[in-house]
Amino acid sequence: MPLLLKGVLRVLLFAGLLAAALWAVQAFSDARWLHPMVWWLLLINTLLAVGIQLLVDYGVHYRRGSFQIFYLGGSVIRLFISALVAFAFIYMGTPALETFVLNFFAIYLIFVGFEIYAVLGNLRSDSQRGLN
């Protein structure tokens, strides 16, 4: 399997597990604290994570020595796009704004935490093989 697809599949698997957990919470409990737009937030963050993963993988495997630029650039891109998405939802008049903001930050932080974990895991294995 090409190395670039390995990270993308990892992100998609993580997003699928998170979607299953959100569905279980919504189906089997009184999920008043889950906003109806939580599925859109999950989709947007999944697409961002896939894009960032492709960008970082490109930087690690094809531009040796410039991993930091790609990783930090991806983080800044994620931050700006996420802020634009949040402001767009708020501008459109999303109901239950407090719940939306809590869901937005929770999903954002979960994906950022996963991204950090995945990137650090890749760095460990890459440095042992001598790729960095």
Side-chain angles (χ1 to χ4, degrees), residues 9 19 59-60 79 90 106:
L9 290 176
V60 167
L79 178 68
I90 291 169

Side-chain angles (χ1 to χ4, degrees), residues 14-50:
F14 174 75
L17 291 173
L18 185 57
L22 287 173
W23 176 82
V25 167
Q26 194 173 38
F28 299 117
S29 71
D30 181 25
R32 287 179 286 168
W33 47 273
L34 279 182
H35 196 274
M37 295 290 185
V38 74
W39 300 108
W40 284 106
L41 294 175
L42 182 64
L43 176 66
I44 291 166
N45 276 289
T46 301
L47 293 175
L48 279 173
V50 166

Side-chain angles (χ1 to χ4, degrees), residues 69-121:
I69 294 170
F70 283 93
Y71 179 69
L72 292 175
S75 297
V76 170
I77 290 169
R78 171 189 287 282
L79 178 68
F80 282 130
I81 291 176
S82 295
L84 286 174
V85 166
F87 287 132
F89 275 107
I90 291 169
Y91 181 74
M92 290 186 312
T94 301
L97 193 57
E98 296 83 13
T99 307
F100 173 79
V101 170
L102 286 173
N103 288 180
F104 173 83
F105 280 118
I107 290 177
Y108 177 84
L109 291 174
I110 288 169
F111 269 95
V112 168
F114 171 75
E115 182 180 299
I116 291 169
Y117 175 77
V119 166
L120 290 179

